[in-house]
C-alpha cells in the first residue's frame, strides 16, 4: 500500500520532497523488500488509469511508457513490459465470475503517475518483472474485493511470484490551506484507514460508508480493497511503515507478506453473511408501505406484470391520497427512485405500486432491476405532505423539509434528509439540476414534509 505524490520524485520536488522524508524512507524500504522477493509479475492498481462506472480496465498490449512531463520533469521516463498472459487469464476468470473487467476501452496508453511513482522506487531495486496495470471502477467495494480474489487465482494458476501494489493517497482534505481544503472526515478517514490497513483488518474496508469516503476526499480506498481481496483467506504479516500528511493530503505505506493460508480470513464471505442477516432483519421489520412497494417490485421484475392488489392493507393506504416516492438501494447505493409530487392515483397504495414499478424499471439513470438482484435490494417509501410556497431558502431545513424549485414549466424536487446533502444550498442546487434550471435563473420555492418508511 503506497501513495503517489509526484513531488516525492526529487526531479519534481526540488527539495520539497524532504518534507515527507518518512514517506520516502518507507517507500525505499518497501521497494527494497520487493527487490528481495524478485517478483515475476507486479499487479499495480491505480486510481489514475481510465475509470469506468461499471467496468475495470486492464491495460492491453505488450508494453507502455510514460514520463513526468506534466510535472515539469519530462526527463524522468519509465517503460514497462506488460504480462499479457496474466492479463488474458485474469480476463477469462473475470468473465467466468461475472466480474466486469477486461482490456477494452483504453483511452490513454501512456503510464499514469499513479503507476509511475511506485515504479520509480521499485525499479531502483528490481526490474525483472512484467506489469499488469488495472484501473478502478464505480462498482461496489465488494466487486473490487472480488477482482482481488481473481488476481490471486490467476497468479496461483500461472505459478507467478506476484506482488500487488495498491497505489492511492489517503484523504485530500486534511488542512484548510491544503489543495482541497478541510473536512472533519479527512483526518478521521486517515486515522481509521491506517488502523485498518496497519492491522490487516481487511473486512473493515467493505464497511466504510460511501458518503464518508467521498467527504474525506480519498483516492486509494478502492485500490486497497482490491489489494485486500488478493490476500483473502491468506495469513499475512503486516507492517505499517509510515503515515504523514504535511501538505493536506495523507500518505500511508504498509507492507504485507503472505505466510500461508488462513480460513478465518475469508472476509468477503463474512461480510456477505452479515449483509444477508441484516437484510433479513430489515425485511422482517418492514411496515405495510415498504412491504407493498417491495412485493410489487419483486413480482414485476420476475413476471413483467403488475401483481394483484393485496388484501388486508390498512385504511391509511387505501383511504388517503398523496404523492409518494419509492427508492431502491443496492449495497447502500441508489439503484432507482421515482415518485410523484402530488397524488395522481386513487389511493396511497396505488401510488406506491405504480411508483415501485417505475423505480425498478423506468428510472432513466439505471438499467432495469434484474431478478438476480432482488435479494440484495432495500426499499424505502416517502409519503409527501402538502407543498407550501415559501419566500426564501431561509425557510428551508435540509433535514426536515424537501424542496420544489419551479421556473416556468420546469420543476425539480429533492427529498429531505438525504445522505450527502448537508446544506440548503446543496439541496436547492441539486433540485435545480434535476429540472435543468440554471444557477442564475429565478425560481419559486415550495417546501414539504415527508413521512419516511424504511
Amino acid at each position: 500500500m503506497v501513495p503517489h505524490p509526484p513531488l516525492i520524485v526529487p526531479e519534481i520536488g526540488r527539495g520539497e520532497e524532504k518534507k515527507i522524508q518518512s514517506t520516502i524512507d518507507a517507500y525505499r524500504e518497501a521497494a527494497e523488500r520487493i527487490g528481495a522477493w524478485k517478483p515475476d509479475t507486479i499487479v499495480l492498481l491505480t486510481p489514475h488509469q481510465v475509470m469506468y462506472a461499471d467496468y475495470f480496465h486492464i491495460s492491453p498490449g505488450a508494453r507502455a511508457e510514460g514520463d513526468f512531463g506534466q510535472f515539469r520533469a519530462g526527463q524522468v521516463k519509465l517503460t514497462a513490459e506488460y504480462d499479457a498472459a496474466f492479463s488474458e487469464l485474469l480476463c477469462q476468470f473475470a468473465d467466468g465470475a461475472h466480474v466486469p473487467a477486461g482490456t477494452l476501452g483504453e483511452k490513454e496508453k501512456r503510464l499514469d503517475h499513479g503507476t509511475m511513482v511506485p515504479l520509480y522506487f521499485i525499479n531502483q531495486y528490481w526490474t525483472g518483472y512484467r506489469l499488469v496495470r488495472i484501473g478502478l471502477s464505480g462498482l461496489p467495494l465488494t466487486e473490487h474485493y472480488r477482482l482481488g480474489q481473481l488476481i490471486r487465482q490467476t497468479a496461483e494458476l500461472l505459478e507467478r511470484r506476484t506482488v500487488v501494489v495498491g497505489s492511492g493517497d489517503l484523504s485530500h482534505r486534511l488542512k484548510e490551506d491544503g489543495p482541497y481544503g478541510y473536512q472533519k472526515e479527512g483526518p478521521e478517514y486517515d486515522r481509521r484507514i491506517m488502523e485498518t490497513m496497519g492491522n490487516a483488518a481487511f473486512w473493515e474496508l467493505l464497511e466504510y460508508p460511501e458518503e464518508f469516503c467521498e467527504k474525506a476526499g480519498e483516492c486509494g480506498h478502492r485500490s486497497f480493497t482490491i489489494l485486500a481481496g488478493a490476500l483473502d483467506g491468506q495469513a499475512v504479516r503486516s507492517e505499517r511503515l509510515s503515515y504523514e500528511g504535511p501538505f493536506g493530503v495523507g500518505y500511508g505505506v504498509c507492507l504485507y507478506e503472505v505466510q500461508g493460508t488462513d480460513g478465518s480470513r475469508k472476509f468477503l464471505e463474512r461480510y456477505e453473511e452479515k449483509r444477508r442477516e441484516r437484510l433479513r432483519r430489515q425485511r422482517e421489520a418492514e411496515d405495510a408501505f415498504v412491504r407493498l412497494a417491495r412485493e410489487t417490485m419483486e413480482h414485476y421484475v420476475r413476471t413483467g406484470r403488475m401483481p394483484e392488489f393485496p388484501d388486508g392493507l390498512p385504511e391509511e393506504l387505501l383511504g388517503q391520497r398523496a404523492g409518494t416516492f419509492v427508492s431502491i438501494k443496492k449495497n447502500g447505493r441508489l439503484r432507482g427512485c421515482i415518485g410523484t409530487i402530488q397524488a395522481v392515483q386513487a389511493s396511497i397504495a396505488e401510488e406506491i405500486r405504480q411508483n415501485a414499478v417505475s423505480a425498478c424499471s423506468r428510472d432513466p439513470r439505471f438499467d432495469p432491476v434484474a431478478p438476480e438482484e432482488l435479494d440484495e435490494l432495500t426499499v424505502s417509501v416517502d409519503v409527501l405532505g402538502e407543498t407550501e410556497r415559501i419566500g426564501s431558502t431561509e425557510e428551508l431545513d435540509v433535514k426536515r423539509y424537501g424542496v420544489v424549485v419551479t421556473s416556468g414549466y420546469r420543476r425539480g424536487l429533492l427529498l429531505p434528509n438525504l445522505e450527502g446533502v448537508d446544506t440548503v444550498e446543496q439541496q436547492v442546487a441539486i433540485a435545480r439540476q434535476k429540472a435543468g434550471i440554471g444557477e442564475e435563473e429565478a425560481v419559486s420555492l415550495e417546501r414539504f414534509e415527508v413521512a419516511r418508511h424504511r
Side-chain angles (χ1 to χ4, degrees):
M1 166 186 159
V2 294
H4 48 243
L7 65 79
I8 203 172
V9 176
E11 291 87 344
I12 299 172
R14 295 181 173 89
E16 283 294 295
E17 73 277 7
K18 295 177 181 178
K19 295 179 180 178
I20 52 171
Q21 190 63 47
S22 293
T23 301
I24 293 172
D25 293 342
Y27 233 127
R28 286 174 176 160
E29 182 177 348
E32 186 174 7
R33 193 80 61 85
I34 291 171
W37 289 336
K38 294 180 168 53
D40 304 307
T41 301
I42 291 179
V43 178
L44 205 146
L45 316 164
T46 170
H48 297 286
Q49 159 76 294
V50 60
M51 180 173 174
Y52 291 100
D54 56 357
Y55 178 76
F56 297 103
H57 179 67
I58 303 170
S59 294
R63 65 192 301 274
E65 58 186 29
D67 61 57
F68 288 104
Q70 69 181 108
F71 304 104
R72 296 181 298 174
Q75 73 276 20
V76 183
K77 305 176 187 293
L78 288 97
T79 300
E81 303 292 328
Y82 283 140
D83 191 336
F86 193 110
S87 296
E88 181 181 356
L89 183 59
L90 177 58
C91 290
Q92 292 175 16
F93 280 143
D95 186 56
H98 304 292
V99 173
T103 56
L104 300 177
E106 183 174 56
K107 292 190 176 181
E108 176 55 69
K109 183 176 178 63
R110 294 180 62 80
L111 299 175
D112 61 282
H113 76 272
T115 299
M116 290 191 293
V117 171
L119 295 186
Y120 174 86
F121 285 92
I122 293 170
N123 288 354
Q124 296 173 36
Y125 298 91
W126 179 245
T127 57
Y129 64 86
R130 290 185 180 270
L131 181 69
V132 176
R133 182 170 62 135
I134 304 177
L136 312 179
S137 80
L139 291 164
L141 292 173
T142 50
E143 293 301 297
H144 289 74
Y145 197 96
R146 287 190 179 95
L147 180 61
Q149 292 176 310
L150 299 176
I151 289 170
R152 189 186 78 247
Q153 186 178 346
T154 303
E156 289 174 347
L157 187 62
L158 291 175
E159 297 183 339
R160 293 278 206 277
R161 181 181 292 271
T162 303
V163 168
V164 180
V165 178
S167 175
D169 297 334
L170 308 186
S171 172
H172 287 62
R173 295 171 179 162
L174 300 180
K175 293 183 176 182
E176 290 288 358
D177 59 353
Y180 301 93
Y182 173 81
Q183 285 274 3
K184 62 181 177 60
E185 290 83 2
E188 173 60 19
Y189 175 84
D190 280 15
R191 180 196 64 76
R192 185 173 167 185
I193 195 67
M194 289 307 298
E195 286 184 2
T196 296
M197 299 303 288
N199 297 322
F202 296 141
W203 70 90
E204 296 177 0
L205 288 166
L206 300 170
E207 298 177 348
Y208 280 58
E210 292 272 357
E211 179 191 4
F212 173 62
C213 291
E214 184 176 339
K215 287 182 177 179
E218 55 74 29
C219 84
H221 198 91
R222 286 170 168 77
S223 290
F224 309 152
T225 304
I226 300 174
L227 167 62
L231 297 172
D232 186 68
Q234 306 296 298
V236 298
R237 182 166 65 88
S238 62
E239 298 176 64
R240 170 179 164 157
L241 299 183
S242 72
Y243 169 78
E244 55 189 343
F247 305 119
V249 179
Y251 307 132
V253 180
C254 293
L255 195 64
Y256 309 94
E257 186 169 4
V258 173
Q259 305 288 296
T261 60
D262 184 345
S264 70
R265 292 180 61 83
K266 293 186 175 182
F267 297 133
L268 185 60
E269 288 183 8
R270 181 194 302 185
Y271 175 80
E272 295 288 8
E273 288 173 5
K274 287 177 61 177
R275 187 181 60 82
R276 285 191 293 269
E277 177 60 22
R278 185 168 61 247
L279 287 173
R280 185 189 65 79
R281 290 197 304 267
Q282 187 170 334
R283 290 192 175 197
E284 289 178 351
E286 287 175 351
D287 65 11
F289 292 77
V290 177
R291 190 163 54 251
L292 175 63
R294 180 174 56 78
E295 291 176 353
T296 300
M297 172 190 71
E298 291 177 345
H299 188 277
Y300 185 84
V301 168
R302 290 187 174 116
T303 69
R305 299 188 302 274
M306 179 74 77
E308 296 292 327
F309 210 85
D311 296 327
L313 292 175
E315 181 59 29
E316 182 181 5
L317 279 164
L318 297 173
Q320 299 180 29
R321 302 179 70 228
T324 69
F325 271 74
V326 174
S327 301
I328 304 167
K329 289 188 175 182
K330 180 178 180 179
N331 296 320
R333 306 177 74 182
L334 191 65
R335 184 63 181 83
C337 179
I338 294 290
T340 44
I341 299 175
Q342 296 175 326
V344 296
Q345 304 295 333
S347 66
I348 291 176
E350 190 58 36
E351 204 84 32
I352 290 173
R353 279 159 43 88
Q354 295 295 330
N355 289 333
V357 168
S358 294
C360 74
S361 63
R362 299 169 192 153
D363 188 328
R365 298 168 293 179
F366 304 96
D367 291 333
V369 168
E372 57 269 21
E373 295 181 88
L374 291 173
D375 290 340
E376 305 176 53
L377 304 180
T378 58
V379 179
S380 63
V381 175
D382 289 296
V383 180
L384 278 60
E386 293 294 325
T387 57
E388 173 188 11
R389 187 76 173 267
I390 58 175
S392 74
T393 56
E394 294 180 359
E395 298 178 69
L396 290 172
D397 180 329
V398 71
K399 299 299 182 184
R400 178 179 177 184
Y401 296 113
V403 65
V404 180
V405 299
T406 305
S407 177
Y409 65 89
R410 293 169 294 170
R411 202 174 192 200
L413 175 147
L414 198 68
L415 297 169
N417 198 24
L418 296 177
E419 292 179 1
V421 182
D422 300 318
T423 67
V424 167
E425 290 73 21
Q426 286 178 299
Q427 187 184 41
V428 172
I430 295 170
R432 281 178 174 271
Q433 291 171 6
K434 292 176 70 173
I437 300 172
E439 293 182 9
E440 305 302 322
E441 294 185 69
V443 294
S444 61
L445 298 173
E446 298 168 89
R447 69 182 187 185
F448 59 91
E449 293 185 88
V450 304
R452 179 157 293 166
H453 302 263
R454 297 186 185 275

